[in-house]
Amino acid sequence: KTKEDDGLVLGQHPEDGRFIRLKVGPYGGYLQWGDDNDEIKKSTHTLPRELRNFKMPESWDDESEESLADMIGLDLEEAIKYCSLPRTVCMLDEKPIKASIGPYGPYLMYNKKYVSLKPKDGDVFMIDEDLAREIVIDGIVNKNSKSAGALAEIGEKEGSMITVKSGRFGEYINWKKVNAKLPAEYFDDPSKLPLEEAWVLIQEKEA
């Protein structure tokens, strides 16, 4: 029903009046801020796993006054917060450290590289500057990764890491010696590319 209605309108963003919609895709629920005909380009925002991976209850009634947003516990105020991501936490060597949420959970992004946030680190809205710098220095700056030069590590398949790299002709997906084109919707944040989608593209290219 949500797909048929082009998403469930949660309300209008106070900054510009554009609609925020709860939509459902292949990987669960997500937010869309803006529409195709808006002057400002629409943006999509990943929800935390507990809000994204909901299931329709057996007792669901189409005539119920309870909306889908009520059912999963998401209101306009919360949606506005998630639409503010990624947010800049602080600076390190004149480059921003940004916090956001991806398909595999919350993370910090620095210099086009990513490090996951653990529950003990706090959430993406509350993490403090000192801790963010410490995590980035340990997890990105000082990390001796096998995937050197990667913009993002998507996940492992058959014992080898799928990464997103930057080359002469732009960003691309790499697995072993196979390279595939990165879909345009992931140019801004390659870490949002779902592992299964990347694997399908790799398999198609290999074939």
Side-chain angles (χ1 to χ4, degrees), residues 32-205:
Q32 178 180 296
W33 179 12
D35 295 314
D36 292 329
N37 56 353
D38 290 337
E39 292 183 8
I40 305 172
K41 185 179 178 181
K42 67 181 179 183
S43 59
T44 58
H45 304 269
T46 303
L47 288 168
R49 197 173 272 113
E50 63 270 18
L51 294 178
R52 177 165 27 108
N53 296 340
F54 57 85
K55 292 183 177 180
M56 191 69 76
E58 293 179 4
S59 60
W60 177 256
D61 179 4
D62 281 342
E63 303 302 321
S64 171
E65 294 183 2
E66 183 183 36
S67 71
L68 182 60
D70 292 332
M71 185 182 79
I72 67 170
L74 180 69
D75 58 23
L76 177 60
E77 185 177 346
E78 272 196 303
I80 291 169
K81 283 173 56 181
Y82 292 119
C83 285
S84 72
L85 298 175
R87 78 173 185 94
T88 299
V89 180
C90 58
M91 305 295 288
L92 178 63
D93 294 334
E94 299 183 353
K95 295 177 182 177
I97 295 175
K98 295 186 177 183
S100 193
I101 299 171
Y104 305 106
Y107 64 87
L108 294 176
M109 175 174 61
Y110 175 73
N111 197 25
K112 294 188 176 181
K113 292 185 174 62
Y114 305 84
V115 60
S116 296
L117 281 176
K118 299 175 182 176
K120 65 180 179 62
D121 300 325
D123 65 33
V124 291
F125 301 108
M126 301 297 292
I127 185 169
D128 64 55
E129 297 182 10
D130 291 340
L131 181 57
R133 289 193 185 96
E134 181 183 325
I135 292 170
V136 164
I137 290 171
D138 288 344
I140 296 178
V141 178
N142 296 334
K143 182 182 179 184
N144 294 319
S145 174
K146 293 181 181 179
S147 303
L151 300 179
E153 293 183 350
I154 306 304
E156 285 193 15
K157 280 291 185 181
E158 297 183 3
S160 295
M161 181 67 70
I162 297 177
T163 61
V164 176
K165 296 183 177 182
S166 182
R168 181 180 175 187
F169 301 106
E171 297 173 359
Y172 62 95
I173 307 165
N174 171 258
W175 179 75
K176 293 185 177 180
K177 294 183 179 181
V178 183
N179 297 326
K181 186 176 180 181
L182 178 69
E185 60 263 38
Y186 301 111
F187 283 178
D188 291 340
D189 190 351
S191 71
K192 290 186 176 180
L193 174 64
L195 175 59
E196 293 306 322
E197 184 176 348
W199 184 233
V200 169
L201 292 170
I202 288 290
Q203 288 179 310
E204 289 176 350
K205 187 69 176 181

Side-chain angles (χ1 to χ4, degrees), residues 1-16:
K1 182 174 175 57
T2 301
K3 288 180 180 179
E4 289 171 359
D5 295 342
D6 192 31
L8 175 73
V9 176
L10 299 178
Q12 292 175 280
H13 199 293
E15 282 185 11
D16 56 17

